[in-house]
Amino acid sequence: MQDSQSAFKKEDPLGMDAMSSEEYASQSKLLQEFTNVPSIESAWLFKTNNEDRSRAMFSISQPDLLANKKRKYILHSHIVTHGTMPLECHWSPFPIEMTGVSAVVPSPSGSKLLVVRNGEKGSRTTLQIVNQSHVEKEIHVDQSIHGPLYTDEWFHGISWNHEETFIAYIAEQTPRPKPAFDDAGYRKGGSSEEDCNSWRGQGDWEEDWGETYSRKGRPSLFVLDIASGEVRAARGVPKSISAGQVVWAPPSSSGHQKLLVFVGWLEHNGFQSTARKLGIKYCSNRPCSLYAIHSPFEEEPNADNASDSGSESVPASVATNLTPSISSALFPRFSKDGKLLVFLSSKCAVDSGAHNATDSLHRINWPSDWKADEQLSVTDVVPVVMCPQDGCFPGLYCSAMLSDPWLSDHCTMVLTSAWRSTEVMLSIDVLSGEVTRISPQDSDYSWSTLAISGNNVLSVSSSPIDPPQIRYGRRASTEDHDGRCAWVWDEVTSPLTAASNKVKALLSHHKLSILRIPVPDPSDELSDGGRLQFEAIFVSCEDSSQKPTVLILHGGPHSASVSSYSKSSAFLASLGFNLLIVNYRGTLGYGEEALQSLPGKVGSQDVQDCLAALDHVIEEGLVDASRVAVVGISHGGFLTTHLIGQ
């Protein structure tokens, strides 16, 4: 007996007994139940000949824990509406796995699909044009032209032109050859890496854009001619500019001019005029502008003269800065009628130095035949909100924008934005500046826009204890109590729901509430916004005062924990933990004054806010003060060490 016990201890270096080993195996299976719930990455709506019928395409993902990879799928659906009758959905029988696919982008008409496959390091990029029956064209782009396409949240930009004959996109510029050196000096081209001894160098060091962008080439603008399969780099973009978020401008009145508008980040005009990039992930405080440039496939008027004289051809144009009067311009979007160019600005972040801050929305009245030397005026649409009144619009906080965010009137766009501890959908009249919350006013769930077609909006709603649910919204014929057009939201039954049924059952006895926390001992020097109550999302078990609690802290500090579904948090809740998710002052979604109250007080004000939230639930008898853990990442990890240290 003693021998068998000692053998067990040798085989089990962690010292777990049989019971704890079974418990870990059970928890491992439970974790898989949560990770098996698919995530909806993006979606598209396509019109049909029948006004009551729409086609939808969903891009979904599912983590493969053992391979440490993410599986990607495409799923199709037909959505049928019958007036006031319940909505019908007809789904494809199975999702289609998109192995090796980096991005898919439908054409404006929905008749074609661009499929991007970024090759492994050193291999070619493949661009496929797929029509409704087969692969129409396949283009292999050699590394000598460009590297992989950017598909991240910042530089990503893939845009079909209106006629669906050209596609503009952002890809890694091929690095220029550099002279190589070893400890004996210059290394000739015929020698190998093995010939270098103690050190080797390769010319001048080039700074990249930091976290997740290490060893990536400069984001550069390229255009594909679908008919010929030729890819050309945009001409006239200075090498000091990193390009991103490209869109085609509407055709000019003459029909000859083909313009591209993109966001450009000057690489030597960083934060507070520093001649460095200093990283860009989670940082909207990097100065940027909108630029316009001619398509590289547009005929150059001086090309013949240049060839006759024997001199080098001069580019037809150089990139023109459209927004020199504003320090930040992002996500350019042209209205469907081509008369307006609307964009977001993070000028508050750029001007203050906060890595994220309150956004503003602006527009440019786009002329039908714009000339490069023509100055365009920028009009404010939605200004920065400094100190919101209780329950009122707190300002714009948008991390992305749909490629087509417009309703059918050509002047109303729909955005997803943080609103205190929730994420909401807003409609914005870009002519009047009127902002309306179209997701339910009385919901503590978070809502996000997936796609728009006409006046129909495909969205997803979720909470920390309720996995994502697809919703289909349309304008109602009635008005709400404020005299605004009401919206009706139908629940869309989908195959994705089946995977989440067990998760729902595990969380069915939990409750969600959003707690208002008074500011502890506000000082006289605080702004009005800095004195406003902040919030904490509280997920409670049955008999919560008898259960352990996990204090969850977001990073940033200028980010937010919204009341959307998180697999890791839901898993913790299913194990019997209460969750207290604190949005301390400095969080996005509460107005600019509240956000700016934190810089200069990091490590004190945010720590006190976290303690105040914990004290609040203890005083209310909601949790056991002796059974509290704390977890956080990035700035949340910094706060975690402060809390256990102080």
Side-chain angles (χ1 to χ4, degrees):
M1 187 67 163
Q2 289 177 343
D3 290 340
S4 64
Q5 286 180 344
S6 60
F8 178 80
K9 288 180 180 177
K10 287 180 181 178
E11 293 172 3
D12 192 352
L14 296 177
M16 295 188 299
D17 57 27
M19 182 62 72
S20 61
S21 180
E22 290 177 3
E23 187 179 349
Y24 275 101
S26 173
Q27 290 182 3
S28 176
K29 290 180 180 178
L30 180 62
L31 177 61
Q32 286 188 325
E33 294 289 346
F34 283 86
T35 56
N36 283 340
V37 177
S39 299
I40 303 170
E41 303 287 342
S42 52
W44 298 266
L45 274 175
F46 307 105
K47 292 181 179 179
T48 65
N49 294 330
N50 189 334
E51 290 184 1
D52 295 332
R53 183 182 294 267
S54 297
R55 290 183 296 123
M57 184 174 79
F58 296 85
S59 173
I60 60 177
S61 66
Q62 182 184 15
D64 182 349
L65 294 180
L66 295 179
N68 194 27
K69 290 183 178 179
K70 185 185 287 187
R71 296 189 180 102
K72 295 182 179 180
Y73 301 89
I74 291 292
L75 193 61
H76 294 270
S77 172
H78 281 83
I79 300 173
V80 184
T81 57
H82 301 288
T84 58
M85 299 292 289
L87 180 138
E88 292 180 25
C89 292
H90 306 281
W91 293 85
S92 53
F94 302 102
I96 301 169
E97 185 167 5
M98 306 293 282
T99 306
V101 172
S102 304
V104 292
V105 183
S107 65
S109 68
S111 62
K112 297 179 182 178
L113 183 71
L114 170 68
V115 179
V116 178
R117 286 183 167 87
N118 283 330
E120 298 295 329
K121 193 68 176 177
S123 59
R124 295 184 297 181
T125 295
T126 302
L127 306 175
Q128 289 180 326
I129 308 299
V130 183
N131 64 25
Q132 294 176 332
S133 63
H134 63 282
V135 176
E136 190 176 291
K137 198 99 174 180
E138 183 168 282
I139 300 100
H140 299 278
V141 185
D142 194 79
Q143 282 276 327
S144 62
I145 299 173
H146 65 66
L149 271 67
Y150 274 89
T151 57
D152 64 303
E153 69 273 21
W154 275 117
F155 299 112
H156 168 72
I158 300 175
S159 179
W160 292 74
N161 71 333
H162 181 73
E163 297 80 12
E164 301 184 358
T165 53
F166 294 96
I167 299 175
Y169 56 84
I170 307 298
E172 294 183 38
Q173 186 182 67
T174 302
R176 292 170 296 173
K178 296 180 180 179
F181 301 85
D182 60 19
D183 58 354
Y186 175 67
R187 179 162 58 85
K188 294 182 179 179
S191 59
S192 66
E193 290 287 335
E194 286 73 19
D195 294 332
C196 297
N197 294 325
S198 59
W199 68 272
R200 60 180 180 271
Q202 288 199 328
D204 292 338
W205 172 74
E206 290 188 11
E207 187 181 14
D208 56 42
W209 281 107
E211 183 181 356
T212 72
Y213 297 101
S214 177
R215 300 181 183 277
K216 285 183 175 286
R218 177 184 290 114
S220 302
L221 176 55
F222 296 86
V223 177
L224 164 68
D225 181 341
I226 297 174
S228 67
E230 183 183 0
V231 174
R232 292 184 185 178
R235 297 186 293 265
V237 181
K239 293 180 180 179
S240 59
I241 288 179
S242 289
Q245 303 176 14
V246 62
V247 295
W248 288 91
S252 64
S253 57
S254 62
H256 301 302
Q257 189 167 257
K258 298 180 178 66
L259 284 173
L260 295 160
V261 173
F262 65 94
V263 178
W265 287 265
L266 276 171
E267 299 181 359
H268 302 296
N269 183 28
F271 167 59
Q272 294 185 346
S273 301
T274 308
R276 296 281 299 278
K277 294 179 184 175
L278 299 175
I280 200 169
K281 192 172 180 66
Y282 307 124
C283 295
S284 58
N285 60 350
R286 306 300 183 234
C288 55
S289 300
L290 296 188
Y291 292 86
I293 196 164
H294 288 267
S295 164
F297 287 95
E298 189 169 357
E299 292 183 7
E300 297 182 12
N302 297 324
D304 294 336
N305 296 336
S307 59
D308 292 341
S309 62
S311 61
E312 292 185 8
S313 62
V314 179
S317 68
V318 295
T320 302
N321 189 341
L322 301 176
T323 56
S325 62
I326 193 167
S327 58
S328 170
L330 299 158
F331 304 116
R333 297 292 184 267
F334 283 97
S335 60
K336 288 180 179 294
D337 59 8
K339 295 180 179 180
L340 302 172
L341 171 58
V342 179
F343 62 93
L344 275 174
S345 176
S346 295
K347 61 180 181 178
C348 266
V350 174
D351 298 343
S352 70
H355 70 93
N356 282 320
T358 312
D359 296 324
S360 52
L361 190 70
H362 308 265
R363 78 164 190 268
I364 293 172
N365 294 327
W366 190 258
S368 60
D369 205 357
W370 177 75
K371 301 293 188 298
D373 58 353
E374 185 179 350
Q375 293 293 320
L376 300 174
S377 61
V378 175
T379 302
D380 296 343
V381 176
V382 180
V384 170
V385 175
M386 299 303 294
C387 182
Q389 298 298 312
D390 190 38
C392 295
F393 172 59
L396 285 176
Y397 303 90
C398 305
S399 58
M401 189 186 292
L402 294 181
S403 58
D404 181 7
W406 300 97
L407 297 180
S408 60
D409 63 3
H410 304 311
C411 66
T412 302
M413 65 193 323
V414 176
L415 301 180
T416 301
S417 179
W419 184 308
R420 301 182 71 85
S421 292
T422 63
E423 203 167 41
V424 303
M425 295 186 297
L426 305 171
S427 72
I428 301 174
D429 185 325
V430 299
L431 297 178
S432 69
E434 181 181 6
V435 179
T436 306
R437 177 173 171 172
I438 64 172
S439 51
Q441 299 273 354
D442 56 353
S443 175
D444 284 339
Y445 282 39
S446 280
W447 292 65
S448 179
T449 314
L450 292 174
I452 299 171
S453 177
N455 287 323
N456 300 318
V457 177
L458 194 65
S459 65
V460 63
S461 69
S462 68
S463 82
I465 55 175
D466 200 353
Q469 173 65 52
I470 302 171
R471 308 275 181 172
Y472 191 78
R474 60 187 186 276
R475 280 176 164 169
S477 56
T478 58
E479 295 182 343
D480 60 20
H481 60 276
D482 293 325
R484 295 171 177 169
C485 183
W487 283 74
V488 176
W489 297 98
D490 292 319
E491 186 173 316
V492 176
T493 56
S494 78
L496 306 180
T497 309
S500 62
N501 282 340
K502 186 168 184 179
V503 168
K504 283 186 175 182
L506 289 166
L507 299 173
S508 61
H509 299 297
H510 292 68
K511 292 182 179 179
L512 166 69
S513 55
I514 296 179
L515 310 176
R516 293 286 188 97
I517 314 295
V519 172
D521 302 321
S523 66
D524 294 336
E525 64 185 33
L526 271 177
S527 62
D528 291 340
R531 296 168 179 269
L532 296 177
Q533 292 179 329
F534 58 98
E535 291 179 340
I537 302 167
F538 186 51
V539 176
S540 56
C541 309
E542 281 189 307
D543 301 322
S544 64
S545 61
Q546 309 298 316
K547 301 293 174 64
T549 299
V550 179
L551 187 66
I552 299 177
L553 309 175
H554 66 71
H558 305 304
S559 62
S561 292
V562 294
S563 60
S564 57
Y565 183 73
S566 161
K567 294 179 182 181
S568 57
S569 297
F571 173 64
L572 277 178
S574 74
L575 296 178
F577 291 97
N578 302 312
L579 308 179
L580 184 63
I581 307 166
V582 183
N583 280 318
Y584 46 85
R585 283 172 293 163
T587 297
L588 303 177
Y590 293 80
E592 186 64 11
E593 285 185 0
L595 184 144
Q596 294 293 348
S597 71
L598 181 57
K601 304 183 186 73
V602 168
S604 57
Q605 177 177 293
D606 43 4
V607 172
Q608 292 305 313
D609 285 355
C610 295
L611 290 172
L614 182 58
D615 289 341
H616 179 82
V617 292
I618 291 171
E619 290 167 4
E620 294 291 323
L622 299 174
V623 304
D624 181 352
S626 66
R627 305 175 71 191
V628 179
V630 59
V631 63
I633 59 171
S634 191
H635 188 79
F638 165 82
L639 290 175
T640 296
T641 56
H642 268 289
L643 287 163
I644 62 176
Q646 293 186 32

